[in-house]
C-alpha cells in the first residue's frame, strides 16, 4: 500500500558508514545486521550495497527475511539470528542457523543426515541477555555436544550484550568474560576454527576487547548512534524526561574519544511528507483532535500527509519539529492517523509544492532519529523501523 511519506535512502551513506566500521575493527569480517528490513531501510538494496563493499555475512532475525534476500538473487552467507522456522528452509536456501538449544542441534543434525549434506551453524550463548541461547553450568558441554553431532559443522559461536548501549560497562565486561571462557574451552575441544562474535554497534565504537573474530553491527551502518541521545538544548519542551538517570553523560566522558566517532557516521534515511493544504486561520483556532493547540495569532497551518499509521508517533503531538525550506517549524495539535499539522506562519512563501522534511537535514538544519527518539521516549532503532517501514522508499547515491 502506498502511503503518504517518502523515505529517501542514501546508499552512499551506508557504504561510508561501513568503511568507518571496517577501519575501527581493523578489517575483521563484518556480519551486517539487516533485520527488520534493514532497520526500515529496505533489506535487499541495503544488503546489495553492503556486499559490494565487502561484508562477510548478512544477519536477519527470521528465515522469511532470508528467503526474501535469496529470492532477489543475493547468494552471500546469511545468519538467521532468532528463528529456526522450518529446518528444511535452511538447507534449501543455504542459510546459517543460530543454534540456541541442544534440541535444535538434534533437529538440524537429523535433517543433515537425511540429506547427506552437512550444515554450518553458529551456536548462540546467553552470557547475560536472558533471551535466547545456551546457558547454565553445562554450556561448554552442550556446545561440544552440538559440534559433535553428525552433519553439524560449528562455524561460529556468538553472544549478545544486554546493555546494548554499554551504559553499564561493568556488566558488559562480565558478559564478555563469560563468553571468552566458553570460547577458550570450546576451542580446546573442537579441532576446527570458528568465528566468535559478540560486538554490536556500541561495542564496535567503544569496546575494542570485544571485537574478537568478527563484529555484528546494525544501527551504526544506518548512521544512527547506539547510545541514547544526550539532552538537546534545542528541546523546547520538558515533557520528554524519560530516562532514569544520567548514565549516558558519564559514559560519554568515559568513552570520550571513541564516542566522538559517532559524529562521523552519516544518517542514511530522510523522511519527507507532502503538504496537502495550507490554511490561513485567525487567532483562537483549535487545531486537531482534543483541541490541544489553539492558535495565539493569525496563523498559517500546513496539513501534512503523514500520521501515526506511517510510524509518526502520536507522542510527537505538540512535541516535534519538521523542516520546511531549511527552517524548523513545530508540529501543532495531535498527530492523526494519516495527517499532521504544522505551524508555517514564520516560513515565507511556502506552497503545497514544497516537501517537508520530517527527519533529515536541509541547509544546516536537522532533525535526527535520536532527537525524535528522545521526544517520543524511545530509541532511534524504533524511530527508524517505524518511519522507514511505513514509507514509500526511494534510493539515492549522494554525499
Ligand atoms: C540487533 C542485533 C544486533 C545489532 O545491534 P546494534 O545495536 O544495532 O548494532 C547484533 N546482534 C544481535 C543478536 C541483534 O539482535
Amino acid at each position: 500500500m502506498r502511503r503518504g511519506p517518502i523515505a529517501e535512502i542514501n546508499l552512499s551513506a551506508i557504504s561510508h558508514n561501513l568503511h568507518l566500521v571496517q577501519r575501527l575493527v581493523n578489517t575483521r569480517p563484518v556480519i551486517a545486521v539487516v533485520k527488520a528490513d534493514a532497520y526500515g531501510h529496505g533489506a535487499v538494496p541495503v544488503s546489495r550495497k553492503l556486499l559490494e563493499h565487502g561484508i562477510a555475512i548478512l544477519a536477519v532475525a527470521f528465515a522469511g527475511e532470508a528467503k526474501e534476500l535469496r529470492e532477489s538473487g543475493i547468494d552471500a552467507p546469511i545468519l538467521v539470528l532468532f528463528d529456526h522456522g522450518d529446518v528444511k528452509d535452511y538447507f534449501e536456501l543455504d542459510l546459517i542457523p543460530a543454534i540456541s538449544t541442544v534440541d535444535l542441534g538434534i533437529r538440524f543434525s537429523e535433517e543433515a543426515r537425511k540429506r547427506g549434506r552437512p550444515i554450518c551453524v553458529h551456536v548462540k550463548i546467553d552470557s547475560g541477555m536472558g533471551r535466547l541461547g545456551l546457558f547454565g553450568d553445562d554450556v561448554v558441554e552442550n556446545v561440544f555436544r552440538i559440534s559433535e553431532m553428525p552433519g553439524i559443522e560449528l562455524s561460529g559461536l556468538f553472544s549478545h550484550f544486554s546493555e546494548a548501549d554499554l551504559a553499564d560497562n561493568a556488566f558488559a565486561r562480565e558478559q564478555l568474560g563469560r563468553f571468552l571462557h566458553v570460547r577458550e574451552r570450546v576451542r580446546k575441544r573442537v579441532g576446527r576454527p570458528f568465528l566468535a562474535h559478540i560486538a554490536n554497534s556500541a561495542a564496535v565504537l567503544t569496546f575494542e576487547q570485544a571485537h574478537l573474530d568478527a563484529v555484528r553491527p546494525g544501527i551504526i551502518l544506518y548512521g544512527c548512534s547506539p547510545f541514547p541521545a544526550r539532552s538537546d538544548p534545542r528541546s523546547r519542551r520538558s515533557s520528554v524526561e524519560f530516562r532514569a538517570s544520567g548514565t549516558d553523560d558519564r559514559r560519554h566522558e568515559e568513552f570520550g574519544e571513541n564516542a566522538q566517532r559517532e559524529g562521523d557516521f552519516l544518517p542514511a534515511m530522510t523522511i519527507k511528507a507532502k503538504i496537502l493544504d495550507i490554511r490561513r486561520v485567525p487567532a483562537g483556532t483549535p487545531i486537531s483532535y482534543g483541541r490541544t493547540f489553539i492558535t495565539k495569532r493569525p496563523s498559517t497551518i500546513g496539513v501534512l500527509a503523514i500520521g501515526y499509521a506511517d510510524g509518526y508517533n502520536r507522542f510527537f503531538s505538540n512535541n516535534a519539529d519538521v523542516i520546511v525550506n531549511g527552517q524548523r517549524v513545530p508540529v501543532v495539535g495531535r498527530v492523526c492517523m494519516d495527517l499532521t499539522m504544522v505551524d508555517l506562519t514564520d516560513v515565507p512563501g511556502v506552497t503545497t509544492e514544497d516537501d517537508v522534511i520530517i527527519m533529515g537535514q536541509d541547509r544546516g538544519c536537522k532533525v535526527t532519529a535520536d532527537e525524535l527518539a528522545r521526544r517520543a521516549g524511545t530509541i532511534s532503532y524504533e524511530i527508524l523501523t517505524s518511519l522507514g517501514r511505513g514509507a514509500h522508499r526511494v534510493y539515492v547515491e549522494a554525499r
Side-chain angles (χ1 to χ4, degrees):
M1 184 183 40
R2 174 88 191 252
R3 294 201 57 87
I6 295 192
E8 207 175 86
I9 309 299
N10 181 355
L11 291 171
S12 313
I14 288 178
S15 38
H16 168 86
N17 297 334
L18 173 61
H19 288 146
L20 293 181
V21 169
Q22 287 165 331
R23 268 220 317 261
L24 282 170
V25 302
N26 227 338
T27 70
R28 279 180 181 78
V30 174
I31 302 171
V33 181
V34 295
K35 66 190 179 193
D37 214 4
Y39 291 44
H41 295 65
V44 171
V46 167
S47 299
R48 284 211 183 100
K49 185 47 102 185
L50 291 167
L51 287 164
E52 238 174 71
H53 292 269
I55 60 138
I57 301 177
L58 293 163
V60 296
F62 299 106
E65 297 175 301
K67 192 165 186 196
E68 190 194 335
L69 296 176
R70 286 286 182 256
E71 279 165 359
S72 70
I74 289 171
D75 58 7
I78 303 178
L79 170 64
V80 181
L81 294 167
F82 304 133
D83 159 62
H84 39 92
D86 189 346
V87 167
K88 291 190 187 75
D89 285 344
Y90 285 79
F91 290 85
E92 273 147 32
L93 299 169
D94 195 14
L95 309 177
I96 306 168
I99 304 292
S100 50
T101 64
V102 171
D103 275 355
L104 200 51
I106 294 171
R107 282 173 51 201
F108 276 97
S109 172
E110 280 169 357
E111 188 68 23
R113 259 193 327 209
K114 236 190 278 170
R115 291 173 184 259
R117 204 193 110 192
I119 187 161
C120 286
V121 308
H122 285 210
V123 170
K124 185 166 195 169
I125 309 296
D126 177 4
S127 60
M129 173 71 183
R131 199 166 69 175
L132 291 169
L134 301 172
F135 64 101
D137 297 335
D138 46 5
V139 168
V140 175
E141 196 51 46
N142 285 336
V143 177
F144 190 62
R145 260 178 83 192
I146 293 166
S147 75
E148 289 277 274
M149 290 177 186
I152 298 284
E153 288 182 5
L154 182 74
S155 61
L157 188 69
F158 74 108
S159 193
H160 193 45
F161 288 118
S162 72
E163 298 289 324
D165 56 8
L166 296 180
D168 183 348
N169 194 247
F171 192 69
R173 280 178 202 286
E174 202 175 309
Q175 277 192 270
L176 178 63
R178 282 181 207 156
F179 183 61
L180 289 179
H181 174 77
V182 174
R183 173 171 86 153
E184 280 322 299
R185 309 230 339 246
V186 170
R187 227 185 219 164
K188 284 199 187 111
R189 294 183 64 175
V190 177
R192 59 200 303 268
F194 55 84
L195 281 184
H197 48 100
I198 190 169
N200 57 5
S201 294
V204 165
L205 289 171
T206 63
F207 196 10
E208 211 179 313
Q209 299 98 300
H211 291 181
L212 309 185
D213 308 327
V215 294
R216 213 172 58 233
I219 196 89
I220 47 175
L221 296 174
Y222 309 102
C224 287
S225 166
F227 309 117
R230 280 168 286 184
S231 47
D232 180 353
R234 300 205 58 158
S235 171
R236 286 168 296 135
R237 303 162 183 89
S238 57
S239 59
V240 285
E241 296 305 329
F242 58 89
R243 267 181 283 107
S245 68
T247 48
D248 50 334
D249 289 332
R250 189 157 36 85
R251 189 185 47 259
H252 275 273
E253 269 164 38
E254 229 171 86
F255 293 120
E257 192 193 322
N258 281 329
Q260 276 172 16
R261 290 178 180 153
E262 285 169 70
D264 301 334
F265 289 82
L266 298 173
M269 184 189 291
T270 298
I271 299 287
K272 293 179 176 174
K274 294 275 171 216
I275 308 178
L276 295 175
D277 198 8
I278 294 175
R279 313 171 76 232
R280 286 171 229 290
V281 299
T285 305
I287 306 292
S288 194
Y289 289 119
R291 296 177 296 139
T292 59
F293 183 86
I294 296 175
T295 55
K296 290 182 190 64
R297 54 179 178 170
S299 299
T300 306
I301 302 296
V303 183
L304 309 185
I306 185 169
Y308 59 78
D310 304 298
Y312 197 59
N313 202 299
R314 210 162 158 276
F315 284 125
F316 298 136
S317 303
N318 295 304
N319 186 28
D321 293 332
V322 301
I323 302 170
V324 185
N325 293 344
Q327 217 173 305
R328 255 179 192 260
V329 304
V331 169
V332 290
R334 291 234 171 99
V335 172
C336 309
M337 188 180 283
D338 296 280
L339 303 173
T340 296
M341 273 58 78
V342 293
D343 186 352
L344 298 176
T345 314
D346 298 326
V347 188
V350 57
T351 75
T352 52
E353 298 300 302
D354 294 310
D355 274 338
V356 170
I357 296 177
I358 302 294
M359 183 176 81
Q361 63 175 352
D362 183 19
R363 286 163 255 181
C365 189
K366 65 180 165 185
V367 173
T368 61
D370 292 310
E371 177 188 328
L372 293 175
R374 196 179 53 250
R375 290 178 182 281
T378 184
I379 51 178
S380 58
Y381 300 66
E382 188 181 351
I383 299 294
L384 293 181
T385 50
S386 11
L387 284 174
R389 295 170 103 182
H392 173 71
R393 287 192 289 252
V394 296
Y395 291 89
V396 297
E397 301 257 0
R399 268 297 154 79

